[in-house]
Short mmCIF file of all heavy atoms in Angstrom, two decimals:
data_model
loop_
_atom_site.label_atom_id
_atom_site.label_comp_id
_atom_site.label_asym_id
_atom_site.label_seq_id
_atom_site.Cartn_x
_atom_site.Cartn_y
_atom_site.Cartn_z
N GLY E 1 113.39 59.96 88.86
CA GLY E 1 113.98 60.51 90.01
C GLY E 1 114.52 59.38 90.93
O GLY E 1 114.87 58.33 90.54
N PHE E 2 114.40 59.70 92.24
CA PHE E 2 114.95 58.79 93.24
C PHE E 2 113.83 58.45 94.33
O PHE E 2 112.93 59.28 94.49
CB PHE E 2 116.08 59.43 94.07
CG PHE E 2 117.24 59.89 93.13
CD1 PHE E 2 117.21 61.23 92.61
CD2 PHE E 2 118.19 59.07 92.78
CE1 PHE E 2 118.27 61.66 91.81
CE2 PHE E 2 119.28 59.50 92.07
CZ PHE E 2 119.26 60.80 91.54
N ARG E 3 113.92 57.31 94.92
CA ARG E 3 112.97 56.97 95.91
C ARG E 3 113.70 56.86 97.24
O ARG E 3 114.82 56.23 97.26
CB ARG E 3 112.24 55.62 95.57
CG ARG E 3 111.18 55.25 96.64
CD ARG E 3 110.62 53.91 96.29
NE ARG E 3 110.02 53.81 94.97
CZ ARG E 3 108.76 54.16 94.64
NH1 ARG E 3 108.03 54.65 95.53
NH2 ARG E 3 108.36 54.07 93.38
N LEU E 4 113.21 57.36 98.29
CA LEU E 4 113.69 57.22 99.65
C LEU E 4 112.61 56.81 100.63
O LEU E 4 111.78 57.69 100.99
CB LEU E 4 114.43 58.53 100.15
CG LEU E 4 115.07 58.48 101.47
CD1 LEU E 4 116.21 57.52 101.50
CD2 LEU E 4 115.55 59.90 101.81
N GLY E 5 112.36 55.52 100.70
CA GLY E 5 111.19 55.01 101.48
C GLY E 5 109.99 55.38 100.59
O GLY E 5 109.89 55.05 99.45
N LYS E 6 108.98 56.02 101.22
CA LYS E 6 107.76 56.42 100.49
C LYS E 6 107.91 57.73 99.72
O LYS E 6 106.99 58.12 99.03
CB LYS E 6 106.61 56.56 101.46
CG LYS E 6 106.21 55.34 102.14
CD LYS E 6 104.98 55.71 103.04
CE LYS E 6 104.31 54.55 103.66
NZ LYS E 6 103.17 54.87 104.48
N VAL E 7 109.04 58.42 99.90
CA VAL E 7 109.23 59.69 99.32
C VAL E 7 109.92 59.62 97.93
O VAL E 7 110.93 58.91 97.89
CB VAL E 7 109.99 60.64 100.24
CG1 VAL E 7 110.25 62.03 99.62
CG2 VAL E 7 109.24 60.75 101.58
N CYS E 8 109.38 60.23 96.88
CA CYS E 8 110.14 60.28 95.61
C CYS E 8 110.61 61.76 95.36
O CYS E 8 109.89 62.70 95.63
CB CYS E 8 109.16 59.91 94.63
SG CYS E 8 108.58 58.22 94.68
N PHE E 9 111.90 61.86 94.86
CA PHE E 9 112.40 63.14 94.49
C PHE E 9 112.68 63.05 92.98
O PHE E 9 113.23 62.07 92.53
CB PHE E 9 113.74 63.35 95.20
CG PHE E 9 113.63 63.30 96.70
CD1 PHE E 9 113.78 62.13 97.45
CD2 PHE E 9 113.41 64.51 97.40
CE1 PHE E 9 113.72 62.09 98.80
CE2 PHE E 9 113.33 64.46 98.79
CZ PHE E 9 113.43 63.26 99.45
N GLY E 10 112.43 64.12 92.31
CA GLY E 10 112.75 64.12 90.90
C GLY E 10 111.89 65.06 90.15
O GLY E 10 111.51 66.15 90.68
N GLU E 11 111.56 64.75 88.91
CA GLU E 11 110.82 65.65 88.11
C GLU E 11 109.88 64.96 87.15
O GLU E 11 110.14 63.77 86.77
CB GLU E 11 111.71 66.57 87.26
CG GLU E 11 112.70 65.98 86.35
CD GLU E 11 113.58 67.00 85.66
OE1 GLU E 11 113.94 67.97 86.25
OE2 GLU E 11 113.91 66.72 84.47
N ILE E 12 108.86 65.58 86.78
CA ILE E 12 107.91 65.07 85.84
C ILE E 12 108.50 64.99 84.46
O ILE E 12 108.98 66.06 84.00
CB ILE E 12 106.59 65.90 85.81
CG1 ILE E 12 105.97 65.93 87.24
CG2 ILE E 12 105.58 65.36 84.73
CD1 ILE E 12 104.92 66.93 87.37
N SER E 13 108.44 63.89 83.78
CA SER E 13 109.18 63.76 82.50
C SER E 13 108.11 63.82 81.34
O SER E 13 108.31 63.25 80.28
CB SER E 13 109.97 62.54 82.41
OG SER E 13 109.14 61.34 82.75
N GLN E 14 107.00 64.51 81.57
CA GLN E 14 105.97 64.69 80.61
C GLN E 14 106.01 66.13 80.15
O GLN E 14 106.20 67.05 80.94
CB GLN E 14 104.56 64.29 81.12
CG GLN E 14 104.45 62.92 81.59
CD GLN E 14 104.38 61.95 80.51
OE1 GLN E 14 103.68 62.17 79.59
NE2 GLN E 14 105.19 60.86 80.56
N PRO E 15 105.66 66.49 78.90
CA PRO E 15 105.68 67.87 78.48
C PRO E 15 104.61 68.70 79.21
O PRO E 15 104.85 69.82 79.52
CB PRO E 15 105.39 67.76 76.98
CG PRO E 15 105.29 66.39 76.55
CD PRO E 15 105.44 65.54 77.81
N ASP E 16 103.44 68.16 79.39
CA ASP E 16 102.30 68.89 80.03
C ASP E 16 102.30 68.45 81.51
O ASP E 16 101.62 67.50 81.95
CB ASP E 16 100.96 68.64 79.41
CG ASP E 16 99.84 69.47 79.98
OD1 ASP E 16 100.04 70.13 81.05
OD2 ASP E 16 98.75 69.42 79.40
N GLN E 17 103.09 69.09 82.33
CA GLN E 17 103.25 68.79 83.75
C GLN E 17 102.00 68.94 84.56
O GLN E 17 101.73 68.16 85.48
CB GLN E 17 104.40 69.45 84.35
CG GLN E 17 105.69 69.04 83.57
CD GLN E 17 106.88 69.75 84.03
OE1 GLN E 17 106.86 70.90 84.49
NE2 GLN E 17 108.15 69.13 83.81
N ILE E 18 101.26 70.00 84.29
CA ILE E 18 100.01 70.19 85.06
C ILE E 18 99.00 69.09 84.80
O ILE E 18 98.42 68.55 85.78
CB ILE E 18 99.30 71.53 84.68
CG1 ILE E 18 100.22 72.76 85.25
CG2 ILE E 18 97.95 71.65 85.29
CD1 ILE E 18 100.25 72.81 86.76
N SER E 19 98.89 68.56 83.65
CA SER E 19 98.02 67.47 83.29
C SER E 19 98.50 66.17 84.01
O SER E 19 97.70 65.42 84.58
CB SER E 19 97.96 67.17 81.82
OG SER E 19 97.32 68.20 81.19
N TRP E 20 99.83 66.03 84.12
CA TRP E 20 100.35 64.87 84.91
C TRP E 20 99.94 64.97 86.34
O TRP E 20 99.51 64.03 86.96
CB TRP E 20 101.83 64.81 84.70
CG TRP E 20 102.47 63.56 85.37
CD1 TRP E 20 102.67 62.40 84.71
CD2 TRP E 20 102.83 63.39 86.72
NE1 TRP E 20 103.17 61.43 85.58
CE2 TRP E 20 103.27 62.06 86.80
CE3 TRP E 20 102.80 64.20 87.81
CZ2 TRP E 20 103.79 61.55 88.02
CZ3 TRP E 20 103.31 63.62 89.04
CH2 TRP E 20 103.80 62.39 89.15
N LEU E 21 100.07 66.17 86.90
CA LEU E 21 99.74 66.34 88.30
C LEU E 21 98.23 66.13 88.61
O LEU E 21 97.85 65.45 89.50
CB LEU E 21 100.03 67.81 88.78
CG LEU E 21 101.54 68.09 88.94
CD1 LEU E 21 101.76 69.56 89.06
CD2 LEU E 21 102.08 67.41 90.11
N VAL E 22 97.35 66.59 87.68
CA VAL E 22 95.89 66.38 87.79
C VAL E 22 95.62 64.89 87.73
O VAL E 22 94.83 64.41 88.52
CB VAL E 22 95.12 67.09 86.66
CG1 VAL E 22 93.71 66.67 86.47
CG2 VAL E 22 95.19 68.57 86.92
N LYS E 23 96.28 64.16 86.90
CA LYS E 23 96.07 62.73 86.69
C LYS E 23 96.56 61.90 87.92
O LYS E 23 95.96 60.93 88.28
CB LYS E 23 96.62 62.27 85.39
CG LYS E 23 96.38 60.83 85.07
CD LYS E 23 97.02 60.47 83.73
CE LYS E 23 96.83 58.93 83.55
NZ LYS E 23 97.56 58.56 82.30
N ASN E 24 97.78 62.28 88.41
CA ASN E 24 98.47 61.41 89.32
C ASN E 24 98.45 61.77 90.80
O ASN E 24 98.79 60.94 91.63
CB ASN E 24 99.89 61.22 88.82
CG ASN E 24 100.00 60.50 87.52
OD1 ASN E 24 99.91 59.26 87.54
ND2 ASN E 24 100.23 61.24 86.47
N LEU E 25 98.12 62.96 91.12
CA LEU E 25 98.07 63.35 92.55
C LEU E 25 96.86 62.79 93.23
O LEU E 25 95.79 63.06 92.79
CB LEU E 25 98.21 64.88 92.76
CG LEU E 25 99.63 65.51 92.58
CD1 LEU E 25 99.47 66.95 92.91
CD2 LEU E 25 100.60 64.89 93.46
N GLY E 26 97.07 62.09 94.32
CA GLY E 26 95.96 61.66 95.11
C GLY E 26 95.88 62.51 96.39
O GLY E 26 96.75 63.35 96.65
N LYS E 27 94.79 62.33 97.25
CA LYS E 27 94.68 63.17 98.36
C LYS E 27 95.78 62.84 99.47
O LYS E 27 96.01 63.68 100.31
CB LYS E 27 93.29 63.07 99.01
CG LYS E 27 92.95 61.73 99.56
CD LYS E 27 91.55 61.71 100.12
CE LYS E 27 91.26 60.32 100.65
NZ LYS E 27 89.98 60.21 101.23
N ASP E 28 96.43 61.70 99.36
CA ASP E 28 97.49 61.36 100.29
C ASP E 28 98.91 61.65 99.78
O ASP E 28 99.86 61.38 100.40
CB ASP E 28 97.38 59.85 100.61
CG ASP E 28 96.15 59.47 101.45
OD1 ASP E 28 95.64 60.40 102.14
OD2 ASP E 28 95.68 58.36 101.29
N SER E 29 98.91 62.26 98.53
CA SER E 29 100.16 62.64 97.88
C SER E 29 100.50 64.08 98.28
O SER E 29 99.63 64.87 98.62
CB SER E 29 99.99 62.54 96.38
OG SER E 29 99.71 61.36 95.99
#
């Protein structure tokens, strides 16, 4: 995707998107 300062816009490029979210989302995300 794209970055605008601290904000990223785009899409998960992994087939199992829920697993990606579980692995990568932090409490400040």
Side-chain angles (χ1 to χ4, degrees):
F2 304 93
R3 183 183 305 272
L4 184 60
K6 291 182 175 181
V7 178
C8 296
F9 302 90
E11 60 184 32
I12 300 167
S13 53
Q14 302 286 315
D16 186 352
Q17 296 175 338
I18 292 292
S19 291
W20 187 92
L21 289 167
V22 165
K23 181 179 175 187
N24 291 284
L25 281 183
K27 66 179 179 178
D28 294 330
S29 301

